[in-house]
């Protein structure tokens, strides 16, 4: 938080119901990502504190932010999910000084505003570290939405983590577009993922909102790389998944010398999307998900308002040290990540929190 934060007293410390206005970004509340995480956190908080949630769910990019003015009436707290809502949040905050306004992923202006931002580079470092440890080809990929600071934090963290685990590994990167439409373009994401696979990339991390479905679809269409199709001069260097049970469909499609392909999910736990045969006991193609705990951040701010905790204008940061980011390990991917590797990840996480590993942010 800024040292010059302006503190607004909210009253007594007694918990009280809070009416929350929640403005989604494009993709809506069921985007299996950023919006969904915010909504789940709000639901959890309202269940604990009382009150109600009113939402604005844009159907087109031009509608993002348009519902915030209406949400400003009758709600004590208005939350805009995603940086695209920030201008509208700032404008509404100036018109409604007694209402609290929050932007997730950006910092609005006004002493009744707050930005909830994340150290995505920390969680992405862990995702890259895992990819670097387990890649079969020594080539991993990152697909971002567009060239903006928040996406760059994902990218540089992932690249640094992969290099930390595997200095000789190559990290291929690409952005989907140069407008916010890049966050809802799974077709182009799939095309990029396909080109990366053609170049021997076997693990792809996508931070591009609803576009990430395109990467999942490409992994589903091409669940393995075959030795005879690898680029000239590239050979398989390991097989971390040799003992993982595989479905009959996978064995048929990937007969011969081959290695599985994987996506890494983002924002919420997307591991289950890699269960292509609907059997968690066989190999999953979601290696892990980098959880950007928007749910925890939204839950935290609603609880603070409900409890009457003093309001701090400015930036509130969430990372590994305070439950803001993490990797998802569950029944879908536990067989892919051995106990030894899980322990290595925990060791690296402690080093990051303790300052022993410095992660770039841009």
């Amino acid at each position: 938080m800024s040292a010059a934060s302006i503190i607004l007293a909210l009253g007594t410390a007694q918990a009280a119901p809070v009416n929350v206005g929640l403005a989604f970004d494009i993709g809506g509340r069921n985007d299996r990502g950023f919006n969904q995480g915010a909504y789940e956190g709000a639901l959890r908080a309202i269940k604990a504190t009382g009150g109600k949630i009113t939402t604005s769910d844009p159907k087109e990019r031009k509608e993002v932010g348009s519902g915030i003015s209406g949400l400003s009436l009758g709600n004590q707290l208005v939350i805009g999910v995603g940086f695209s809502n920030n201008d509208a949040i700032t404008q509404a905050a100036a018109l409604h000084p007694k209402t609290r306004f929050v932007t997730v992923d950006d910092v609005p202006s006004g002493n009744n505003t707050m930005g909830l931002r994340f150290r995505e580079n920390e969680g992405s470092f862990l995702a890259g570290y895992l990819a670097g440890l387990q890649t079969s080809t020594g080539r991993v990929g990152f697909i971002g939405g567009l060239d903006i600071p928040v996406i760059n934090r994902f990218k540089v963290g992932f690249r640094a983590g992969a290099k930390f685990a595997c200095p000789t590994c190559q990290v291929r990167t690409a952005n989907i577009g140069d407008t916010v439409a890049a966050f809802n373009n799974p077709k182009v994401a799939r095309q990029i993922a396909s080109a990366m696979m053609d170049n021997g990339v076997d693990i792809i991390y996508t931070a591009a909102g609803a576009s990430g479905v395109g990467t999942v679809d490409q992994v589903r269409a091409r669940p393995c790389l075959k030795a005879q199709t690898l680029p000239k001069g590239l050979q398989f260097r390991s097989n971390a998944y040799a003992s993982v049970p595989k479905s009959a469909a996978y064995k048929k499609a990937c007969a011969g010398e081959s290695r599985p392909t994987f996506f890494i999910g983002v924002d919420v736990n997307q591991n289950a999307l890699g269960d292509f045969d609907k059997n968690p006991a066989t190999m999953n193609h979601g290696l892990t998900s980098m959880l950007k705990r928007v749910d925890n951040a939204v839950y935290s701010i609603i609880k603070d308002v409900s409890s009457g905790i003093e309001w701090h204008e400015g930036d509130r940061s969430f990372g590994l040290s305070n439950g803001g980011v993490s990797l998802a390990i569950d029944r879908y991917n536990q067989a892919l990540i051995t106990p030894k590797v899980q322990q290595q990840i925990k060791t690296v996480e402690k080093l990051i929190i303790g300052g022993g590993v410095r992660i770039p942010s841009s």
Side-chain angles (χ1 to χ4, degrees):
M1 298 177 188
S2 169
S5 292
I6 299 174
I7 301 175
L8 298 178
L10 290 181
T12 67
Q14 184 177 1
V18 179
N19 291 337
V20 178
L22 193 60
F24 296 117
D25 203 343
I26 198 71
R29 74 179 67 181
N30 297 315
D31 68 345
R32 296 177 175 175
F34 207 57
N35 291 306
Q36 181 177 326
Y39 186 61
E40 290 175 353
L43 285 175
R44 180 157 51 100
I46 291 300
K47 183 177 180 180
T49 65
K52 64 180 182 179
I53 302 171
T54 307
T55 63
S56 172
D57 202 342
K59 303 305 178 187
E60 299 180 30
R61 174 56 57 186
K62 63 183 180 181
E63 297 176 355
V64 173
S66 63
I68 288 173
S69 178
L71 294 176
S72 303
L73 305 174
N75 292 306
Q76 293 102 317
L77 176 65
V78 177
I79 302 172
V81 183
F83 66 90
S84 295
N85 279 300
N86 198 48
D87 288 345
I89 285 286
T90 294
Q91 292 168 14
L95 295 173
H96 303 275
K98 293 184 179 180
T99 303
R100 311 306 185 209
F101 290 86
V102 170
T103 302
V104 179
D105 246 12
D106 209 340
V107 182
S109 298
N111 60 9
N112 57 335
T113 71
M114 182 184 294
L116 306 182
R117 296 200 293 180
F118 298 81
R119 300 191 292 279
E120 296 93 351
N121 54 326
E122 294 181 355
S124 296
F125 186 96
L126 294 182
Y129 179 74
L130 175 61
L133 285 178
Q134 306 223 155
T135 175
S136 299
T137 62
R139 295 183 182 179
V140 299
F142 172 84
I143 301 174
L146 69 158
D147 184 9
I148 55 175
V150 61
I151 297 302
N152 286 332
R153 288 196 294 273
F154 282 100
K155 178 174 68 175
V156 298
F158 180 74
R159 182 165 54 203
K163 290 290 189 179
F164 188 76
C166 177
T168 61
C169 283
Q170 296 180 21
V171 183
R172 305 294 176 92
T173 67
N175 290 325
I176 292 171
D178 54 10
T179 71
V180 290
F183 291 99
N184 195 30
N185 196 338
K187 180 179 179 180
V188 173
R190 181 171 178 175
Q191 291 170 350
I192 294 172
S194 178
M196 285 184 173
M197 289 183 177
D198 288 342
N199 280 285
V201 170
D202 62 338
I203 301 172
I204 302 173
Y205 179 37
T206 304
S211 296
V213 173
T215 301
V216 176
D217 288 344
Q218 176 56 29
V219 173
R220 184 192 301 271
R222 192 173 178 181
C224 62
L225 297 180
K226 297 187 176 183
Q228 64 266 32
T229 64
L230 292 177
K232 185 177 180 180
L234 185 65
Q235 297 179 333
F236 293 129
R237 55 168 62 185
S238 63
N239 189 1
Y241 318 102
S243 62
V244 178
K246 300 172 181 66
S247 69
Y250 177 88
K251 291 177 180 178
K252 181 178 180 180
C254 299
E257 184 68 5
S258 66
R259 298 291 187 273
T261 57
F262 301 92
F263 66 86
I264 294 178
V266 76
D267 293 340
V268 298
N269 189 348
Q270 298 175 327
N271 292 352
L273 298 180
D275 183 19
F276 299 152
D277 65 343
K278 306 302 180 184
N279 181 3
T282 56
M283 188 177 62
N284 192 64
H285 290 270
L287 182 59
T288 187
S289 295
M290 200 293 279
L291 305 183
K292 186 171 174 178
R293 299 303 302 267
V294 180
D295 59 329
N296 284 349
V298 168
Y299 173 85
S300 175
I301 191 60
I302 295 173
K303 287 279 288 185
D304 283 358
V305 172
S306 172
S307 300
I309 293 176
E310 289 180 326
W311 180 271
H312 294 261
E313 173 265 336
D315 189 4
R316 187 165 175 179
S317 177
F318 295 85
L320 287 174
S321 63
N322 60 351
V325 295
S326 63
L327 290 189
I329 298 178
D330 58 15
R331 67 191 182 113
Y332 290 102
N333 68 338
Q334 197 161 22
L336 304 174
I337 308 170
T338 66
K340 178 182 178 181
V341 172
Q342 291 183 41
Q343 187 58 51
Q344 288 176 275
I345 293 170
K346 289 179 181 178
T347 298
V348 173
E349 182 174 344
K350 290 178 181 177
L351 287 172
I352 295 170
I353 294 172
V357 174
R358 299 287 184 178
I359 305 173
S361 60
S362 63

